[in-house]
Amino acid sequence: MQIPYETTARPDTGLYNAKLGIWLFLASEVMLFGGLFSAYVFLRLGADDGYWPMGLLNVPIGTMNTAILIASSVTVVLAWAALKMRQWAKYKFYMLITIICGIIFLAVKLTLEWPEKFVHFGAFIKKDKWAEYEAYLGNEHRTKLGLSPRPEISGHLHAVEVAVAPEKKGDFDSFLIKHHLVAEAGTDPAHPVLVVKDDHGHGPRPSIAEKLVRIPGVKAVAYEVELDAVNADPTSPDNDRPHFIPRKRSDKVATIKAEDISSWSAFAPKHSSYFAVYFTITGLHGLHVLGGVIIFIYFYLFGEKLYRKNPEHMANRVEVSGLFWHFVDLVWIFVFPIFYLL
Amino acid sequence: MSEHHPAVTAETPNAPHDHDHAHDVSKHVKGYLIVGALLLVFTFITVALAYVDFGSHTANVVVAMIVATFKAGLVAAIFMHLKGEKRLIWQFLFFTVFFAIGLFFLTWLHWIDPIFGTHHTHH
Amino acid sequence: MASTTALAHGHDDQDHHGHDDHHEPGFWQKWVFSTDHKMIGIQYGITGLLFLFFGFLLMLIMRWQLANPGDPVPVIGGMLQAVFGDSAFSANADGVKGVLTATGYNAFGAMHGTIMVFFGIVPVAFAAFGNFVVPLQIGAPDMTFPKINMASFWVFFISCVIMLASFFVPGGAAKSGWTSYSPLAGVADMGPGFHPFFNGQTLWLVGMVFNITASLLGAVNFIATIIQLRAPGMTWMRLPFFVWTQFVTAWLLLLAFPPLEAAGVMQLMDRAFGTSFFMPTGLIVNGQLAAWSGGGSPILWQHLFWFLAHPEVYVLILPGAGMVAEIIANNTRKPLYGYKALVGAILVLGFLSFIVWAHHMYMTGMGAKVAGFFQTTTIIISIPSVIIITALMLSLWGGSIRFTPPMLFATAWLPMFGIGGLTGIPLAFNAVDLYLHDTYYVIGHFHYVVAPGTIFAIFAGVYYWFPKATGRMMSPFLGHLHFWPSLIMLNGIFFPMFLQGMAGVHRRWYDGGATYEQIIKPVIHWNEFMSVSAFLLAIAQIPFIINFCWSIFKGKKVVNDNPWDATTVEWVAPSPPGHGNFEKPITVYRGPYEYSVPGANKDYTPQTEPPISEKFPTTAPAGVPAH
């Protein structure tokens, strides 16, 4: 039993089945990413002034990844063209490059971009306490210039200061051992605390710190933060707006009282609407990239049999998956400026 | 039982098939390379323009979206063969874009048109 | 051909390119992992019918509670508590187990809605009937993408497993309504006693993501099949109306589902990763400020949800309307009235259905501009609906009506859908909706459309196409025994809901309003009446179940492939059709409802019958299908 129009076009539509099918699927994908972009717009429009961060993503790396994805879009269409021209070796060459580019894109995202966010720390200071932390926020300076306020102190955890109820010391100690942390007594006799660090002299990862302060009987007192440059020198003109070269770290350490913080976390999805929608969209986009790579690997490794039997059918398959790949590239063309630049 | 056609093989490239014949496609290859180069160039332009002050943040957004739309248009028209694609596909896309815009516009209409006095800004 | 012999294993002869093996497929390939649209249709049908049955059982337990708040469910109460756990059921003061708790009621209510809509009606009316009938009706050997078709069923099946499993995790199934509104849906089923991931609310979202994906795969297949695989001569305006309804339904699914899938992913992020897509700032949960960053928008969830859920209601009704149309034409022995108007109406309906959704959101503080827009489009969309039902009603006029079992259900569908549709009109106006929103009036309205509406259409379709699928007829006697009590009882359940709703009875009171009896005293007695009707309705389904199961094996065999003397192409195929469906290539020469053509030698002229003047098998229109 043969399904008609698998490789030849139906005369009145001018299309073969898979091409029609993929465009229908892409229509649904437009609606999917459209829904996500709508969410982005409304969350951004609804955000209070200063609560939509900018300059937190690495623009040079993002630009490079964009270029890699664009290159792979070129090579996949060249791979299809090679099949139409019955040049099998060229097809394999271009398809291999496409696959490699796709893998590099994902690797960059998963090794260079995402992990460093999960160890980054950010604390939103309560509005009525901004004045106390003016040295790190610089809001007087920003108001004078007509810039949005800066409500957050960010950097890397240097230490977490906690008070531990005596009867829970055992749970606390086992937690420290389990996560390779050490605690020293604080230096201020008036405020007895335990200062928790990891065994390299820095603070615990934010995800570990979260678990630490949630242990029953353990109360967070303060967070010592190795500041990002924007908080170390908030009134410097260098730090008024984001730059192409990403924000640097400083040597300065600031201590933030836990009671002055409205919320804190790593630069993870829960940090803010910005990171929530960033991780969701780039994550979903990344899954689409992965899907495309898998399909291309299949065509690269197992395509020859179909090509020898019916090269036009093979060309159509590559064309159709190429269309999917171009759509994924198209989405990224919007994602990149929206999240990295604006 | 169903339409029967001789399959196109390496030996019979002239068997009836999709209108893109081998020599047509070879003409397009140069175009693909040019568009690829344009896309790369405009990526760098996008980044550069992001650091130019166009007056307000909204203006920067508009500029960035114009460039992005241009790049997306190139991908759609040339790489995805929309230029010269069958009418049916354009019809699909028209309705899709219409409803996507509808979703966005009507949600936005609600955003800006609340019952008087109850609109709160969010954190 | 020579180049193919270079490969070590086997070769594919040119002529056999694309042909399946000539071997009979094994058990797994034939019954489980089949790519044949008929088997996939049956798989969807059986699964969907089982879920309809399960959703029905949930409702029966709820109706017991509404009529007898606080009383243990009789006979099976203990078993129910053992199965569904202690969050859903508790013991009464005397220690008798099986009292549906408020939590249990909420879970059963949310799951009844979810199951009936997404796991019952859509799989049966759209996927099962669509898969089985559409390729046959257009003269195609199968769907355009048989493997994707199979994949869509198995993805759907996974979603079924997840949804069922959600009843049995600690804390029970999702209980935040079938609408899963944030912020409740963001905080529900969390904390002590709940697993951080394997809890009812989270599993609901995961199940929905799989269900939506399956629907999308199916929608692509239907649209591509109807466009590409129509047999020569099957022009658009010769399509059976059922195919048109499936076509529009597939477009609704294709374009409306993805924003809900996006929203579902975002709500999952809220639950699993602590994001605040839909969680507002300053939320207090259990007396404490919740640990979210805030800044999210609960209204955004509602928009994204209803953007799908409104077209979804047309997804629920359109396939049924199509089936009713087929059956009416066949059993009146005359063409449908206003075929062109019907086609135009569903195209307009499909288009408008995308821009009416916020009539479900009149209570969210909408200003005059946006509320006015949605009221206008909602009222306009009633026009094509009225056109459809009017055309179908007029189709009865002057007909030679045969009240076969399918025709009983199809005819009853007309006034039932009419009541459902007409009672929707007051809800279109926000001034009236302000009062009726979230009352039993709404429940009465939409149940009339889906229960004596779509489900009657599904029954009609089952009786009608059963002989094509099995080669046997169902018993008409049992059909009558099924139909008459069902019709009466359905009205008994749902009509009083309008009365209760107008009196202000809220739709989600778990005790039937007992707590508010002083307000709703005049109408609270209807609860018992409705619940008794529900139980009698359950009994009325027994003849159907017996009829269905028994007739598969022992039903009266059909005398020919076309026992209903129908005109549409599916009746040309053998009953049941084999792989590839038709024994000869199909060519279509005429429209779908040429019944009682003057001068013809019988009262129906099949679509595949050539014009009378030609005595010989003629060439098809030059091999080029007319557009």
Side-chain angles (χ1 to χ4, degrees):
Chain A
M1 179 196 62
Q2 166 79 315
I3 306 276
Y5 310 121
E6 253 180 358
T7 41
T8 58
R10 183 181 157 107
D12 61 350
T13 60
L15 296 163
Y16 60 91
N17 295 340
K19 181 172 269 201
L20 192 125
I22 197 69
W23 275 111
L24 288 171
F25 177 66
L26 291 181
S28 80
E29 294 271 82
V30 167
M31 299 304 290
L32 180 77
F33 283 99
L36 287 169
F37 279 113
S38 295
Y40 164 84
V41 169
F42 292 113
L43 290 171
R44 177 133 195 202
L45 287 179
D48 282 336
D49 207 15
Y51 283 86
W52 194 270
M54 288 174 63
L56 298 186
L57 300 180
N58 190 316
V59 176
I61 290 184
T63 311
M64 178 187 80
N65 242 6
T66 307
I68 287 172
L69 206 59
I70 288 173
S72 74
S73 255
V74 178
T75 54
V76 79
V77 75
L78 292 176
W80 166 77
L83 282 179
K84 290 292 274 192
M85 298 190 284
R86 309 289 184 252
Q87 295 165 338
W88 176 252
K90 251 198 184 163
Y91 153 76
K92 296 243 348 185
F93 171 71
Y94 284 125
M95 186 53 92
L96 186 63
I97 298 186
T98 309
I99 292 169
I100 290 174
C101 286
I103 292 177
I104 292 178
F105 180 88
L106 288 172
V108 166
K109 185 184 300 296
L110 294 175
T111 58
L112 292 182
E113 291 195 288
W114 281 18
E116 64 105 10
K117 301 216 168 16
F118 299 142
V119 296
H120 216 121
F121 171 90
F124 287 96
I125 307 298
K126 287 182 182 161
K127 252 198 173 117
D128 50 353
K129 303 282 183 188
W130 284 1
E132 275 179 46
Y133 292 89
E134 181 58 24
Y136 308 119
L137 297 175
N139 282 322
E140 280 171 20
H141 164 82
R142 291 183 72 82
T143 319
K144 250 189 261 144
L145 288 179
L147 298 169
S148 306
R150 185 182 278 127
E152 189 187 19
I153 297 179
S154 65
H156 294 80
L157 270 178
H158 183 69
V160 181
E161 297 176 15
V162 296
V164 183
E167 65 274 15
K168 293 290 180 182
K169 192 75 170 39
D171 293 339
F172 175 74
D173 285 335
S174 17
F175 184 90
L176 292 185
I177 293 171
K178 186 171 164 204
H179 295 282
H180 309 289
L181 302 173
V182 292
E184 299 166 352
T187 48
D188 182 356
H191 300 105
V193 292
L194 287 170
V195 179
V196 179
K197 292 185 187 177
D198 67 10
D199 41 18
H200 299 293
H202 295 286
R205 294 171 57 107
S207 54
I208 308 289
E210 248 174 60
K211 291 202 184 87
L212 171 71
V213 303
R214 281 209 201 117
I215 301 173
V218 176
K219 183 163 133 20
V221 173
Y223 299 89
E224 296 174 28
V225 182
E226 297 160 21
L227 296 173
D228 284 334
V230 289
N231 295 116
D233 194 2
T235 55
S236 153
D238 264 350
N239 293 324
D240 283 344
R241 285 186 180 81
H243 291 273
F244 179 71
I245 305 296
R247 50 171 52 183
K248 297 185 268 287
R249 301 163 79 136
S250 74
D251 300 323
K252 240 175 166 178
V253 176
T255 303
I256 314 173
K257 286 193 248 155
E259 65 200 12
D260 294 340
I261 298 177
S262 68
S263 71
W264 69 265
S265 78
F267 282 2
K270 67 165 78 151
H271 170 272
S272 55
S273 305
Y274 169 77
F275 274 120
V277 74
Y278 164 76
F279 279 109
T280 303
I281 287 191
T282 58
L284 214 57
H285 177 266
L287 280 176
H288 282 76
V289 171
L290 181 65
V293 165
I294 290 174
I295 291 172
F296 289 147
I297 289 178
Y298 178 81
F299 285 150
Y300 180 79
L301 293 178
F302 303 111
E304 185 155 13
K305 189 169 168 207
L306 179 62
Y307 177 76
R308 299 294 170 208
K309 186 165 69 165
N310 188 345
E312 194 62 15
H313 194 176
M314 181 62 192
N316 288 348
R317 281 188 155 188
V318 170
E319 180 181 19
V320 154
S321 32
L323 283 170
F324 173 78
W325 190 252
H326 290 128
F327 177 76
V328 170
D329 185 28
L330 216 147
V331 169
W332 185 259
I333 284 175
F334 285 99
V335 167
F336 172 62
I338 284 175
F339 287 98
Y340 286 76
L341 303 176
L342 295 174
Chain B
M1 177 186 296
S2 50
E3 65 94 46
H4 174 72
H5 65 279
V8 177
T9 64
E11 275 69 49
T12 58
N14 295 320
H17 58 269
D18 194 33
H19 81 284
D20 278 324
H21 293 263
H23 44 274
D24 283 345
V25 171
S26 66
K27 277 189 241 153
H28 291 307
V29 168
K30 194 154 158 239
Y32 298 143
L33 292 168
I34 294 176
V35 167
L38 269 176
L39 288 170
L40 288 170
V41 164
F42 271 92
T43 302
F44 295 117
I45 290 179
T46 311
V47 175
L49 287 177
Y51 297 104
V52 171
D53 188 352
F54 284 101
S56 70
H57 185 71
T58 312
N60 274 72
V61 171
V62 170
V63 166
M65 287 300 102
I66 289 176
V67 177
T69 307
F70 172 69
K71 288 166 71 186
L74 281 178
V75 171
I78 310 297
F79 286 171
M80 297 175 89
H81 311 134
L82 268 183
K83 176 167 165 290
E85 186 55 86
K86 302 295 171 297
R87 208 174 121 232
L88 193 63
I89 304 295
W90 281 97
Q91 286 170 333
F92 292 169
L93 290 176
F94 171 78
F95 283 108
T96 307
V97 170
F98 181 86
F99 291 127
I101 292 178
L103 166 65
F104 175 76
F105 172 74
L106 291 171
T107 307
W108 174 77
L109 185 63
H110 183 182
W111 224 261
I112 56 149
D113 185 28
I115 287 177
F116 186 84
T118 59
H119 190 53
H120 299 293
T121 55
H122 309 281
H123 159 53
Chain C
M1 200 187 308
S3 62
T4 62
T5 58
L7 294 166
H9 47 280
H11 72 281
D12 249 303
D13 186 76
Q14 210 78 308
D15 294 334
H16 289 285
H17 161 66
H19 277 230
D20 295 78
D21 287 343
H22 297 295
H23 323 119
E24 184 64 17
F27 171 82
W28 288 99
Q29 246 209 325
K30 186 169 174 203
W31 292 99
V32 183
F33 293 108
S34 172
T35 57
D36 187 306
H37 69 100
K38 300 183 290 295
M39 180 54 64
I40 294 172
I42 290 171
Q43 288 173 320
Y44 267 115
I46 302 291
T47 314
L49 283 171
L50 288 172
F51 268 94
L52 282 174
F53 184 66
F54 180 53
F56 187 66
L57 286 177
L58 292 177
M59 174 277 294
L60 284 177
I61 297 167
M62 290 165 68
R63 278 252 54 109
W64 165 264
Q65 167 80 331
L66 289 172
N68 309 285
D71 288 351
V73 179
V75 182
I76 54 169
M79 187 195 77
L80 288 173
Q81 186 156 348
V83 166
F84 289 105
D86 292 328
S87 66
F89 289 91
S90 65
N92 68 1
D94 299 325
V96 181
K97 289 190 172 187
V99 181
L100 187 64
T101 60
T103 304
Y105 185 89
N106 287 339
F108 278 30
M111 295 308 284
H112 167 79
T114 305
I115 282 172
M116 293 306 229
V117 170
F118 296 106
F119 294 84
I121 294 189
V122 177
V124 176
F126 175 71
F129 281 105
N131 260 305
F132 195 95
V133 175
V134 166
L136 288 167
Q137 277 195 336
I138 63 174
D142 205 311
M143 300 280 255
T144 31
F145 308 117
K147 291 203 199 86
I148 293 183
N149 208 14
M150 179 182 74
S152 92
F153 174 73
W154 286 107
V155 174
F156 165 69
F157 188 80
I158 292 173
S159 76
C160 293
V161 170
I162 295 175
M163 277 299 178
L164 278 180
S166 73
F167 278 97
F168 305 109
V169 294
K175 49 193 77 70
S176 305
W178 81 284
T179 50
S180 191
Y181 278 8
S182 287
L184 177 63
V187 304
D189 293 357
M190 282 166 139
F194 294 100
H195 189 276
F197 187 82
F198 293 102
N199 57 68
Q201 200 65 38
T202 302
L203 288 179
W204 185 93
L205 286 166
V206 177
M208 285 304 295
V209 167
F210 277 92
N211 186 290
I212 294 172
T213 305
S215 285
L216 290 175
L217 293 174
V220 169
N221 234 333
F222 273 93
I223 298 172
T225 302
I226 293 171
I227 292 178
Q228 293 282 97
L229 298 191
R230 285 167 293 132
M234 180 61 86
T235 61
W236 284 98
M237 294 310 271
R238 285 181 179 167
L239 282 173
F241 188 61
F242 178 67
V243 178
W244 273 112
T245 58
Q246 291 284 354
F247 185 67
V248 172
T249 304
W251 273 105
L252 298 183
L253 290 172
L254 187 78
L255 295 182
F257 249 139
L260 178 59
E261 189 155 34
V265 168
M266 289 191 271
Q267 200 175 69
L268 258 177
M269 294 286 295
D270 277 0
R271 293 186 60 81
F273 295 102
T275 54
S276 299
F277 283 109
F278 308 119
M279 308 304 285
T281 313
L283 188 68
I284 309 262
V285 179
N286 290 335
Q288 278 190 320
L289 203 59
W292 271 277
S293 70
S297 169
I299 298 285
L300 182 61
W301 166 266
Q302 292 192 29
H303 278 294
L304 294 172
F305 177 84
W306 285 112
F307 183 81
L308 174 270
H310 189 82
E312 179 70 21
V313 314
Y314 296 104
V315 167
L316 298 179
I317 195 63
L318 282 181
M323 293 192 256
V324 164
E326 299 300 310
I327 291 164
I328 285 180
N330 175 252
N331 286 287
T332 52
R333 313 309 292 165
K334 64 188 276 283
L336 280 183
Y337 180 90
Y339 175 86
K340 286 208 191 86
L342 281 167
V343 171
I346 49 164
L347 289 173
V348 169
L349 186 86
F351 178 85
L352 285 173
S353 73
F354 282 99
I355 51 175
V356 296
W357 80 84
H359 64 230
H360 299 272
M361 295 169 60
Y362 284 141
M363 300 290 278
T364 58
M366 287 159 68
K369 289 194 264 298
V370 60
F373 176 88
F374 282 107
Q375 286 180 84
T376 309
T377 52
T378 304
I379 282 299
I380 294 176
I381 205 175
S382 66
I383 297 175
S385 308
V386 171
I387 289 176
I388 291 170
I389 193 171
T390 308
L392 291 176
M393 281 185 175
L394 288 174
S395 299
L396 297 173
W397 180 263
S400 178
I401 301 183
R402 318 183 295 197
F403 279 107
T404 57
M407 188 56 173
L408 287 172
F409 283 98
T411 315
W413 182 90
L414 294 168
M416 296 295 101
F417 173 70
I419 294 176
L422 288 172
T423 52
I425 297 194
L427 296 170
F429 297 103
N430 71 346
V432 182
D433 186 66
L434 236 64
Y435 183 69
L436 294 175
H437 182 81
D438 269 352
T439 66
Y440 262 88
Y441 183 92
V442 178
I443 301 195
H445 154 68
F446 69 72
H447 276 95
Y448 258 95
V449 191
V450 295
T454 296
I455 294 196
F456 264 25
I458 287 174
F459 285 141
V462 171
Y463 286 99
Y464 185 62
W465 277 299
F466 190 92
K468 177 53 61 183
T470 62
R472 294 173 186 273
M473 306 293 286
M474 290 175 78
S475 152
F477 172 70
L478 287 175
H480 278 259
L481 212 54
H482 173 212
F483 170 75
W484 292 105
S486 294
L487 178 64
I488 295 169
M489 294 311 149
L490 279 165
N491 282 283
I493 300 173
F494 296 116
F495 201 85
M497 288 191 179
F498 297 123
L499 305 174
Q500 286 200 327
M502 287 194 280
V505 178
H506 190 278
R507 70 185 275 182
R508 289 191 169 119
W509 286 339
Y510 80 102
D511 60 0
T515 319
Y516 295 93
E517 188 164 354
Q518 69 273 27
I519 303 174
I520 60 163
K521 215 174 164 73
V523 295
I524 195 170
H525 69 92
W526 284 112
N527 280 335
E528 278 165 21
F529 181 82
M530 293 193 282
S531 295
V532 169
S533 302
F535 293 120
L536 292 175
L537 179 69
I539 294 177
Q541 305 316 300
I542 294 174
F544 173 70
I545 297 171
I546 293 174
N547 199 355
F548 186 84
C549 297
W550 183 84
S551 301
I552 291 176
F553 304 103
K554 294 285 196 210
K556 187 168 123 196
K557 277 205 171 144
V558 296
V559 295
N560 57 35
D561 292 331
N562 189 359
W564 300 118
D565 291 336
T567 52
T568 44
V569 180
E570 79 268 30
W571 299 102
V572 172
S575 297
H579 196 48
N581 294 339
F582 300 100
E583 287 160 342
K584 293 196 301 268
I586 294 292
T587 305
V588 173
Y589 296 97
R590 51 187 84 238
Y593 304 118
E594 295 209 357
Y595 289 100
S596 303
V597 177
N601 57 357
K602 45 193 195 307
D603 75 340
Y604 71 102
T605 312
Q607 287 192 271
T608 51
E609 191 167 298
I612 290 172
S613 56
E614 307 192 29
K615 296 263 180 201
F616 315 104
T618 178
T619 51
V624 176
H627 181 37

